[in-house]
């Protein structure tokens, strides 16, 4: 893909044209290195041989080492987006945006690209008919570029490749639609039969509708560094060479070299080396002087040096990436204890927590822009609840449901009141919809239990009057004759406190049916 072909764009002002050219230059300058890192992640890095021990005809043997992919995936799997939270309850608009954009999966993909190439980008745009209220899209460094505003700590302007088209008779793709993001507008730049043309889509956000996800940013490198750094690539190159040397060494190990001294020259006529090696019977005759040929075997080469060197490379890679050495295919003589396994992963967990903190700030900005677009507002017009949006991530120290549930169970045993919090349900692995249904079922069960307890009281005028009054209040509330506040006041007069009143009114239909059935039974 080549963006250098975008030279003149009809309708694009000079200022935006200068931005576009600068972004294309930035993208082109980083593309080669970004592709190299992506090739390492995709198991496509080529053998870099010293030309000493491996014959040329064996260099075509394919050897693959997947450690760079492990370095990325082991960290990405611990950064798991679990929804947005707001003060005062859920936000239906944001919930729909997250659902329609499949945002947890989108974030997972963006996080992997962030780790491969140091950063990835999220963009926001307005949804069309039958689409989400706001569209959130993700792009890797292979299809996006941006300039950083150090003063405002955000993107100054950015570029993304929206669509490409495959050239005729070639596997290479060329861009046909790119977007330019500025403080005032998003410029849609498309290719037609006459060249490149632009269309301005203005907005009032005061900033580009583009936000980076950055891994390990610094003052010198605001767009971060790659997880597949130079050390990772160098160690992987050594591991690939050693994998090939091991394959070659294994061939000699399984077929040790033999020799025959003083044999007749025609002894092996008509046989290749393999037939001579695996023959069941090898007949050797004496020479004319009556001497027998001497048969021997060269000392067999050991595979141990190859194993030890690969173990050494794995240890170096583990130290560079914080991945436990056991996950790199290196087997230890003694199994590690639970404490040792946790200690080995502690550095990786800290890395994931730092990644979540940095990405969380970016996701806050993306969520606010999405809410503003969905509501037709500016960023400064969002209400307090919308401004309070925060992303929620699952605990990186407990990526599995079993370990997560076990940990929260131990917390509840020490602090029983935690069981009444929704945080406990979240830690057990329930999603928002499941938590809402569990809460609803709990309220229904408590309300029905309360009514059943009252019906089991001794018969008397007081009970009959109370049941009649409860039924009357509920019917009046359901029909709209009285408000929630008035219904609560009436319940308090017959001895039911405000909390119980709200629970009864929340499930008024079920409670009314319970009361009616109780009256019929009597």
């Amino acid at each position: 893909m080549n963006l250098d072909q975008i030279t003149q764009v009809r309708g694009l002002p000079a200022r935006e044209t200068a931005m576009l050219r600068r972004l294309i230059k930035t993208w082109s300058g980083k593309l080669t290195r970004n592709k190299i890192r992506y090739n390492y992640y995709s198991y496509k890095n080529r053998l870099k041989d010293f030309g000493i021990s491996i014959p040329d005809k064996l260099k075509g043997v394919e050897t693959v080492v997947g450690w760079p992919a492990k370095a990325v995936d082991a960290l990405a799997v611990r950064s798991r987006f679990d929804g947005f939270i707001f003060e005062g309850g859920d936000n239906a608009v944001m919930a729909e945006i997250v659902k329609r954009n499949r945002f947890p999966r989108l974030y997972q993909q963006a996080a992997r690209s962030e780790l491969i190439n140091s950063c990835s980008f999220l963009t926001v745009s307005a949804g069309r008919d039958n689409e989400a209220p706001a569209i959130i899209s993700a792009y890797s460094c292979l299809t996006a570029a941006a300039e950083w505003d150090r003063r405002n700590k955000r993107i100054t302007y950015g570029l993304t490749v929206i669509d490409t088209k495959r050239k005729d008779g070639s596997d290479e793709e060329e861009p046909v639609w790119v977007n330019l993001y500025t403080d005032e507008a998003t410029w849609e730049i498309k290719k037609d039969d006459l060249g490149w043309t632009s269309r301005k889509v203005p907005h009032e956000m005061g900033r580009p509708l583009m936000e980076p996800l950055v891994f390990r940013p610094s003052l010198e490198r605001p767009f971060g560094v790659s997880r597949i750094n130079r050390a990772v690539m160098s160690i992987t190159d050594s591991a690939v060479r050693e994998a090939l040397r091991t394959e070659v060494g294994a061939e000699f190990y399984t077929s040790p070299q033999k020799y025959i001294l003083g044999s007749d020259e025609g002894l092996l006529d008509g046989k290749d080396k393999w037939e001579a090696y695996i023959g069941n019977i090898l007949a050797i005759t004496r020479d004319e002087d009556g001497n027998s040929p001497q048969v021997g075997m060269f000392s067999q080469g050991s595979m141990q040096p190859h194993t030890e060197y690969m173990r050494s490379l794995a240890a170096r890679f583990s130290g560079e990436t914080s991945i436990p050495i056991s996950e790199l295919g290196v087997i230890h003589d003694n199994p590690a204890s639970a404490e040792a396994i946790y200690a080995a992963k502690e550095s990786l967990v800290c890395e994931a927590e730092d990644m979540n903190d940095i990405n969380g700030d970016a996701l806050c900005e993306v969520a606010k822009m999405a809410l503003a677009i969905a509501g037709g507002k500016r960023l400064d017009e969002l209400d307090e609840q919308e401004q309070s949006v925060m992303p929620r991530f699952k605990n990186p120290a407990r990526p599995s449901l079993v370990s997560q549930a076990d940990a929260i169970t131990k917390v509840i045993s020490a602090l029983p009141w935690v069981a009444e919090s929704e945080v406990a349900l979240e830690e057990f692995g329930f999603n928002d919809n499941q938590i809402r249904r569990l809460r609803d079922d709990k309220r229904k069960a408590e309300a029905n239990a309360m009514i059943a307890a009252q019906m089991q009281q001794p018969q008397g005028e007081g009970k009959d009057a109370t049941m009649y009054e409860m039924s009357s209040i509920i019917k009046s509330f359901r029909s709209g004759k009285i408000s929630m506040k008035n219904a609560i006041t009436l319940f308090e007069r017959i001895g039911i406190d405000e909390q119980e009143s709200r629970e009864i009114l929340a499930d008024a239909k079920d409670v009314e049916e319970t009361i009616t059935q109780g009256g019929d039974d009597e």
Side-chain angles (χ1 to χ4, degrees):
M1 186 170 59
N2 183 14
L3 293 178
D4 295 332
Q5 58 176 297
I6 308 176
T7 54
Q8 297 294 330
V9 180
R10 299 194 307 274
L12 191 65
R15 174 173 168 269
E16 281 71 16
T17 299
M19 294 179 183
L20 179 64
R21 291 175 178 172
R22 182 174 178 84
L23 289 170
I24 291 176
K25 182 178 180 181
T26 299
W27 176 84
S28 299
K30 301 291 184 180
L31 181 61
T32 300
R33 200 67 181 172
N34 287 333
K35 284 185 176 180
I36 290 175
R37 289 189 168 92
Y38 185 79
N39 286 338
Y40 272 84
Y41 177 78
S42 304
Y43 312 97
K44 296 179 181 179
N45 52 303
R46 300 179 64 85
L47 172 69
K48 297 179 181 178
D49 181 45
F50 293 147
I52 300 175
S53 61
I54 301 176
D56 291 338
K57 64 180 181 179
L58 295 180
K59 293 179 181 179
V61 177
E62 183 177 5
T63 53
V64 179
V65 176
W67 291 352
K70 188 69 175 180
V72 170
D73 294 339
L75 181 55
V77 77
R78 292 180 178 272
S79 178
R80 297 184 296 166
F81 174 79
D82 196 32
F84 290 102
I85 56 177
F86 297 81
E87 292 182 1
D90 298 333
N91 185 288
V93 176
M94 195 70 242
E96 183 179 2
I97 292 173
V98 169
K99 180 180 179 181
R100 296 285 295 274
N101 284 280
R102 299 181 181 180
F103 193 71
R105 180 65 58 85
L106 184 68
Y107 171 78
Q108 187 181 50
Q109 296 169 353
R112 278 185 166 82
S113 292
E114 167 193 357
L115 295 174
I116 294 171
N117 293 125
S118 81
C119 67
S120 59
F121 300 92
L122 297 176
T123 64
V124 186
S125 59
R128 300 173 183 173
D129 295 339
N130 300 321
E131 292 183 342
I135 302 296
I136 303 176
S137 303
Y139 302 90
S140 72
C141 287
L142 299 178
T143 56
E147 291 288 331
W148 186 251
D149 186 344
R150 295 182 181 272
R151 180 179 180 86
N152 294 308
K153 314 301 184 295
R154 60 170 174 81
I155 287 176
T156 308
Y157 44 84
L159 170 74
T160 61
V161 178
I162 306 298
D163 194 13
T164 60
K165 180 181 179 181
R166 182 168 296 181
K167 294 181 179 180
D168 295 337
S170 173
D171 292 336
E172 184 179 356
E173 294 185 347
E174 61 178 4
V176 294
W177 180 1
V178 300
N179 276 1
L180 175 65
Y181 300 87
T182 67
D183 289 347
E184 302 84 17
T186 298
W187 291 85
E188 297 180 350
I189 303 172
K190 298 182 180 181
K191 187 177 183 180
D192 55 24
D193 295 337
L194 300 178
W196 292 90
T197 185
S198 63
R199 185 176 77 92
K200 183 179 181 180
V201 183
H203 60 76
E204 298 182 355
M205 296 296 167
R207 55 153 298 164
L209 300 180
M210 185 177 184
E211 185 71 21
L213 298 178
V214 185
F215 180 64
R216 288 185 188 171
S218 63
L219 295 177
E220 293 76 18
R221 300 178 68 98
F223 285 111
V225 296
S226 171
R227 177 84 165 157
I228 306 177
N229 54 32
R230 295 178 184 274
V232 167
M233 290 188 287
S234 176
I235 296 171
T236 302
D237 290 339
S238 298
V240 171
R241 285 192 295 269
E242 179 54 31
L244 181 55
R245 287 194 292 263
T246 302
E247 289 289 341
V248 176
E251 293 295 320
F252 289 100
Y253 185 79
T254 55
S255 58
Q257 300 297 299
K258 298 180 180 180
Y259 62 86
I260 302 176
L261 300 177
S263 66
D264 187 276
E265 293 182 358
L267 178 64
L268 300 177
D269 287 347
K271 296 181 180 180
D272 58 22
K273 294 180 179 180
W274 180 244
E275 290 177 338
Y277 176 74
I278 65 173
N280 292 328
I281 300 176
L282 181 63
I284 305 176
T285 60
R286 298 176 182 271
D287 60 14
E288 62 257 5
D289 297 329
N291 298 321
S292 299
Q294 297 180 7
V295 180
M297 183 174 66
F298 293 108
S299 60
Q300 190 178 36
S302 173
M303 297 296 294
Q304 188 66 25
H306 297 289
T307 303
E308 291 299 323
Y309 183 52
M310 186 61 81
R311 188 190 300 271
S312 173
L313 292 175
R316 290 173 54 195
F317 193 90
S318 176
E320 186 65 35
T321 60
S322 302
I323 297 176
I325 191 172
S326 59
E327 295 188 16
L328 298 176
V330 176
I331 301 175
H332 291 278
D333 295 334
N334 297 318
S337 63
E339 292 77 10
I341 293 175
Y342 180 82
K345 294 182 178 181
E346 185 175 7
S347 179
L348 189 64
V349 171
C350 293
E351 193 87 71
E353 290 175 343
D354 183 64
M355 178 180 174
N356 289 346
D357 288 341
I358 297 172
N359 286 353
D361 293 338
L363 294 185
C364 278
E365 296 300 317
V366 171
K368 291 176 183 178
M369 289 190 289
L371 287 170
I373 288 177
K377 308 175 183 178
R378 299 193 305 270
L379 284 175
D380 56 6
E381 292 177 341
L382 296 175
D383 59 34
E384 290 186 6
Q385 191 209 31
E386 293 170 332
Q387 290 282 359
S388 69
V389 62
M390 290 289 294
R392 182 176 65 225
F393 293 92
K394 293 185 179 180
N395 193 330
R398 298 186 291 274
S400 69
L401 182 60
V402 174
S403 59
Q404 192 168 324
D406 180 66
I408 193 63
T409 300
K410 293 178 180 178
V411 172
I412 291 175
S413 65
L415 303 171
W417 59 268
V418 174
E420 299 299 322
S421 170
E422 286 193 2
V423 175
L425 296 176
E426 293 171 359
E427 290 297 318
F428 274 118
F430 296 110
N431 58 38
D432 291 340
N433 291 334
Q434 291 172 328
I435 291 174
R436 190 177 299 110
R437 290 170 57 192
L438 287 171
R439 289 293 186 189
D440 291 342
D441 291 343
K442 181 174 181 291
R443 284 195 297 267
K444 291 178 182 179
E446 290 176 346
N448 290 334
M450 182 185 65
I451 299 301
Q454 291 187 0
M455 292 175 61
Q456 291 175 3
Q457 293 177 0
Q459 296 286 340
E461 181 179 353
K463 177 199 170 187
D464 294 339
T466 300
M467 298 297 291
Y468 174 81
E469 289 173 347
M470 286 178 62
S471 177
S472 177
I473 295 170
I474 292 173
K475 288 181 179 179
S476 298
F477 172 74
R478 289 192 62 205
S479 63
K481 293 181 179 179
I482 60 175
S483 65
M484 172 76 78
K485 181 178 180 181
N486 292 335
I488 293 174
T489 302
L490 293 174
F491 274 126
E492 289 176 344
R493 290 182 179 179
I494 60 175
I496 300 176
D497 61 29
E498 181 179 351
Q499 181 178 355
E500 292 179 343
S501 300
R502 291 186 180 276
E503 293 175 349
I504 293 173
L505 294 174
D507 302 290
K509 181 179 179 180
D510 293 341
V511 175
E512 183 180 359
E513 291 176 355
T514 302
I515 295 175
T516 302
Q517 292 173 0
D520 293 341
D521 292 340
E522 292 179 356

